[in-house]
Amino acid sequence: MNLHEYQGKEILASHGVRIQRGVVANTPEEAVTAAKQLTEETGTGWHVIKAQIHAGGRGKGGGVKLAKNLEQVQEIAGQIIGMDLITPQTPPTGKKVHSVLIAEDVYYPGESETSEFYMSVLLDRSKGRNMIMYSTEGGMDIEEVAESTPHLIFTEEIDPAVGLQGFQARRIAFNLGLSGNAFKEMVKFVDALYKAYIGSDASMFEINPVLKSSDNKIIAVDAKVDLDDNALYRQKKYAEMRDIREENPIEVEAKEVGLNYVDLDGTVGCMVNGAGLAMATMDLIKYAGFEPANFLDVGGTADAKRVETAFRIILKDPNVKAILINIFGGIVRCDRVAQGVVDAYKNMGDSINVPIIVRLQGTNAEIAKELIDNSGMPILSATLFQEAADQVKNALS
C-alpha cells in the first residue's frame, strides 16, 4: 500500500526522524491558511507547494513549486489542485491531484553549504535481508545515478538477528562525507529511519533528497513509502491512510469482491486459479506473441457467480481483445468450472464481445470439455497448454 508524502512523513516523525514540516490542503483557501499556520509554527517565510499523488518525479511535471508570499501560495495551489499531473511514474494521462502539502522552506542560508543525499530502506530479496541504499547524489533519479555513476551508490546490509548496528550508521555518515555535528545528526537520522521502516512493516522507505541544511541538520525533505499489505492487519492505523482515489479502480473493485487482480498493459485477459499457474499462463500468452492484460487469480472456487464477476472485472479494461481461462481442477472439479463458465456466459448475454478460450485440466477435464463444446456458446475449449496458446493466436489473428 502506497502512502502520500505527508503520510510517510507522519510515520517518520513518530519514530524521531527530522522532517520538512508541512500542512495538507485540499483547496487554495486551505493552502493559504496552512501557510499562515506553518509560518507561526516554524518561522518560514517561503513555502513549498507539493502535489500529493502516489508517484515520483512530481517536480519535473510541475507538481512542486516555491511560493514567496501568500498570494503565490494561493495562485500555485490553485494551479496544482485539480490538475492531471504527468510524471515518469504516472500513466500517460497522468494522475489527478486532490491535495497539496504546504511545506516549510529548509534551504535557508547559514554557516555552511547545503547538501542533498539519497537514502532508502528496502528488502534485498536475493539475500533475505533488509538493506540501506544511499548515495551522495540526492535530488536525482536513482536509476540515472546507478547507470551513469554506479560507484556513487552504497549499500549497507542488515543482519536480521541483530538489526542495524551503530558502526553501520556511522559508516553511512562517513561515506556521505559528513563530519562534526552533521555526522552525528546523520547517525541519529539513519537509526530513526530504520526503526520507522521496521515499526511500520514497510516494504520500502525512500527519501530523496535527505538534506544537510546550512546549520548541519539532517532533514527528510521527501518521503516515498510503501507498506506491506500482508501486515496491515496489525497496522490498522496505517491501513486507514489508504487513498483508493490513487489506485486503479478495477483493482479496487476486484479486491472488494475477493479477487486477486493486477492490471497490466496487454490485450489478453487471464482468469486462472492459483498464482503459479497464473504466472505460467502469462508466460504462455507472451510465448504466443501477445501480452497479458491482467493477473487474475479466482482462487479455489470458480462457480458461475464468481466466474461472472471475474468476467465483468476483466471486461472493464477496454484493451482486452480475448480472454483465456486456465483452470487446474484439483480443489475444484473441472466440470463445475465449465458449467460456471457456460452459466456466466448465458447470464451476461451480449456484454461479452471478445473470444473466450477455456483450458481445463485435472479432475473431470474430459467431461468439462464436452460441456463447453456442447453448450452452444461461442466458447473455444482446449486441453493442452500449447493448444490454448494456439487458440489465443487464432482468435486474435
Side-chain angles (χ1 to χ4, degrees):
M1 185 183 84
N2 293 323
L3 298 183
H4 288 296
E5 174 191 351
Y6 77 91
Q7 295 170 323
K9 284 181 173 176
E10 287 176 10
I11 296 176
L12 288 171
S14 70
H15 286 84
V17 177
R18 191 193 301 274
I19 63 168
Q20 178 194 38
R21 293 163 292 183
V23 180
V24 181
N26 300 307
T27 66
E29 293 73 26
E30 288 183 10
V32 172
T33 302
K36 291 178 180 178
Q37 175 186 336
L38 200 59
T39 298
E40 291 177 1
E41 294 175 354
T42 69
T44 186
W46 293 356
H47 301 85
V48 185
I49 318 300
K50 297 183 172 186
Q52 297 299 285
I53 61 170
H54 290 171
R58 294 168 296 166
K60 293 181 179 179
V64 179
K65 294 184 177 180
L66 179 66
K68 298 181 179 181
N69 53 55
L70 293 179
E71 290 75 17
Q72 289 185 358
V73 168
Q74 183 164 3
E75 179 184 353
I76 294 172
Q79 294 170 353
I80 295 178
I81 295 173
M83 75 181 292
D84 292 316
L85 181 56
I86 300 174
T87 82
Q89 297 183 19
T90 64
T93 55
K95 282 192 170 186
K96 185 172 288 296
V97 180
H98 300 283
S99 60
V100 291
L101 178 64
I102 312 301
E104 65 176 324
D105 174 30
V106 289
Y107 290 82
Y108 43 79
E111 61 192 59
S112 65
E113 292 291 328
T114 60
S115 301
E116 292 184 331
F117 309 114
Y118 170 91
M119 190 170 295
S120 62
V121 189
L122 63 161
L123 174 65
D124 183 344
R125 296 184 181 277
S126 64
K127 298 181 179 179
R129 292 186 171 190
N130 292 325
M131 70 173 184
I132 298 177
M133 182 186 300
Y134 59 103
S135 173
T136 55
E137 306 304 292
M140 297 176 59
D141 293 333
I142 195 64
E143 296 83 3
E144 181 181 329
V145 177
E147 183 175 348
S148 58
T149 53
H151 62 284
L152 295 178
I153 295 181
F154 304 89
T155 58
E156 196 67 44
E157 183 181 303
I158 299 163
D159 187 333
V162 296
L164 177 69
Q165 298 296 289
F167 75 88
Q168 294 179 297
R170 291 191 292 274
R171 182 158 56 198
I172 291 173
F174 177 80
N175 286 339
L176 291 175
L178 298 174
S179 60
N181 190 60
F183 183 98
K184 297 176 184 178
E185 286 283 316
M186 180 58 78
V187 171
K188 294 177 184 176
F189 182 94
V190 172
D191 182 65
L193 172 60
Y194 190 72
K195 287 178 179 176
Y197 172 83
I198 295 295
S200 61
D201 284 311
S203 300
M204 181 189 71
F205 263 88
E206 182 181 66
I207 304 175
N208 189 20
V210 176
L211 176 72
K212 182 199 79 67
S213 66
S214 59
D215 54 357
N216 293 316
K217 294 176 182 176
I218 304 299
I219 304 170
V221 176
D222 192 14
K224 186 176 180 182
V225 178
D226 186 6
L227 301 182
D228 185 350
D229 291 4
N230 297 311
L232 289 178
Y233 73 94
R234 63 186 183 193
Q235 300 285 2
K236 291 183 171 54
K237 62 180 178 180
Y238 298 146
E240 294 173 357
M241 293 179 173
R242 183 185 180 198
D243 186 353
I244 63 173
R245 298 174 301 180
E246 291 290 314
E247 300 177 21
N248 184 302
I250 304 177
E251 293 182 3
V252 172
E253 182 179 347
K255 191 171 185 178
E256 289 175 349
V257 296
L259 294 174
N260 297 313
Y261 176 95
V262 177
D263 191 39
L264 300 173
D265 298 327
T267 58
V268 181
C270 305
M271 187 189 309
V272 188
N273 67 332
L277 184 58
M279 299 298 289
T281 302
M282 291 192 290
D283 287 342
L284 176 74
I285 291 169
K286 292 180 72 71
Y287 180 75
F290 302 96
E291 294 291 330
N294 64 268
F295 169 104
L296 194 155
D297 177 9
V298 295
T301 58
D303 55 21
K305 184 177 180 180
R306 194 167 179 81
V307 171
E308 182 176 341
T309 300
F311 270 140
R312 295 189 187 279
I313 292 290
I314 293 173
L315 291 171
K316 285 181 179 290
D317 183 351
N319 295 322
V320 170
K321 306 302 179 187
I323 297 176
L324 172 59
I325 301 174
N326 192 6
I327 301 291
F328 177 77
I331 297 176
V332 57
R333 286 174 11 205
C334 289
D335 55 324
R336 289 187 176 178
V337 176
Q339 192 62 56
V341 171
V342 172
D343 292 344
Y345 202 110
K346 289 178 180 178
N347 291 339
M348 296 183 68
D350 296 336
S351 59
I352 298 181
N353 53 9
V354 299
I356 306 293
I357 300 95
V358 180
R359 185 252 180 180
L360 298 169
Q361 191 58 270
T363 307
N364 290 351
E366 294 181 359
I367 299 174
K369 192 174 189 310
E370 289 181 10
L371 277 170
I372 296 291
D373 293 340
N374 298 327
S375 67
M377 300 288 105
I379 306 172
L380 304 174
S381 65
T383 304
L384 303 177
F385 234 171
Q386 185 58 53
E387 186 183 357
D390 293 339
Q391 293 276 30
V392 171
K393 186 178 294 186
N394 293 335
L396 293 178
S397 297

